[in-house]
Amino acid sequence: MADTWAWEYDPDPEFVIGGIANLAFIAKVEERADELVRAAAALYLDGTKYTGASPRMQEETVDASGMFVYQVIPRHQRVYVRQVSFLGL
């Protein structure tokens, strides 16, 4: 189990963001993921002891340029970014 809260691409960066060449968009996704980690850490103070159901997957819009899907897993102390979509607007 993780010692501290963090986020990661699941299953891996290549699967989730591979092919998205817009680095500014990816940076915005990662900044928002950092914010989600801070929020989850505040909500689940010791996630490793959490016994409830994990929250459902959720969506976040990134400006008008895209969105991502993520899931918080308290027992892992992780925010998993599962899908990123770049619209190129």
Side-chain angles (χ1 to χ4, degrees), residues 1-6 36-37 39-58 70-80 82:
M1 291 291 170
D3 292 338
T4 59
W5 276 91
L36 292 168
V37 165
L43 185 60
Y44 304 101
L45 294 177
D46 187 354
T48 61
K49 294 181 181 174
Y50 182 75
T51 58
S54 292
R56 294 176 187 245
M57 284 194 266
Q58 298 180 57
Y70 70 93
Q71 186 173 21
V72 176
I73 306 292
R75 289 174 298 284
H76 295 178
Q77 297 193 139
R78 286 291 179 271
V79 173
Y80 292 107
R82 302 201 183 262

Side-chain angles (χ1 to χ4, degrees), residues 5 12 14-15 20 40 44 48 52-53 57 59-60 67 72 76-78 83-84 86 88-89:
W5 276 91
D12 59 54
E14 180 60 31
F15 182 84
I20 299 176
Y44 304 101
T48 61
M57 284 194 266
E59 296 178 0
E60 278 291 316
M67 53 84 64
V72 176
H76 295 178
Q77 297 193 139
R78 286 291 179 271
Q83 180 182 5
V84 177
F86 178 62
L89 302 177

